[in-house]
Every structure is written in C-alpha cells, then in structure tokens.
Amino acid sequence: MNNVIALPVQRDSYGCWTHPEYDKFCDGRDHIPNSEFSDWIKANGLEWAFELRDESLDFSDDGPFAPELSEWQPEPPAGDGWFIGSIHDTEDGPVCLWFRIVEGGVA
C-alpha cells in the first residue's frame, strides 16, 4: 500500500513543509542520487514534477540565506491529482516538489 498520499500542508514559520513519507526517505540527507529517487518514486506508484520559485517576484527575505517562502503559493502542474511533496530551499532557490499517484499505481 502506498503511504505517499495527499496530506494537509502545514508550513513552518519559514514557509517550508515536507511530506512525512518523503522526509523518511530523505532521512536528513542533503542529496539523494537520481537513481535512488527514481526507485522510490516507482516503488510508491508516483510521478513527480517540480517548480522553482520565480525569483523575479517581490518576496520579502529575513536575510541572505533565509528566503521567506510562506508568501509563495506554488501552482500544481497541469492535470488532476497533484499534491505537495515538499516546499524547501535549494542551491538553485526555493522549490516545490509535486507528487501524484499514477494510474494503476501502488495506492
């Protein structure tokens, strides 16, 4: 059974949130090898997409290394069933990771 299902998103004071099952998979690691991530996605019957926050938008920041993500409301990819897997900061800027259960997936 797939434990990676849509959950209510309760962002922290910085605007970040990570799905508990994805958080378990990441296990505190800063980097996940692509092949390992792909295997996890497949094993959970998911597909994924991501959205980088448009840095040209006027968002406030608490400092040079603390972007204020709580004002950002990412838009899901086209199609039904997308849910947030994680909203967090990366070397490339803030990102929203989207998941959805594939037809005939593990759910």
Side-chain angles (χ1 to χ4, degrees), residues 63-93:
F65 300 107
E68 176 57 67
L69 302 180
S70 61
E71 297 176 26
W72 182 39
Q73 299 300 319
E75 293 292 324
D80 295 329
W82 291 102
F83 59 93
I84 294 176
S86 186
I87 298 175
H88 59 275
D89 200 14
T90 70
E91 292 176 353
D92 298 320

Side-chain angles (χ1 to χ4, degrees), residues 36-71:
E36 189 177 343
F37 177 73
S38 293
D39 290 347
W40 183 82
I41 289 290
K42 184 176 180 180
N44 283 283
L46 300 171
E47 63 180 314
W48 67 282
F50 74 96
E51 174 184 357
L52 286 169
R53 183 177 83 168
D54 183 350
E55 292 299 315
S56 68
L57 299 175
D58 185 24
F59 291 103
S60 63
D61 284 336
D62 293 331
F65 300 107
E68 176 57 67
L69 302 180
S70 61
E71 297 176 26

Side-chain angles (χ1 to χ4, degrees), residues 1-5 7 17-27 29 40 44 46 83-85 99:
M1 182 172 165
N2 183 1
N3 292 324
V4 186
I5 58 172
L7 294 175
W17 183 83
T18 299
H19 192 288
E21 294 299 320
Y22 183 59
D23 197 35
K24 278 193 248 182
F25 165 70
C26 292
D27 194 27
R29 299 177 287 175
W40 183 82
N44 283 283
L46 300 171
F83 59 93
I84 294 176
F99 297 143

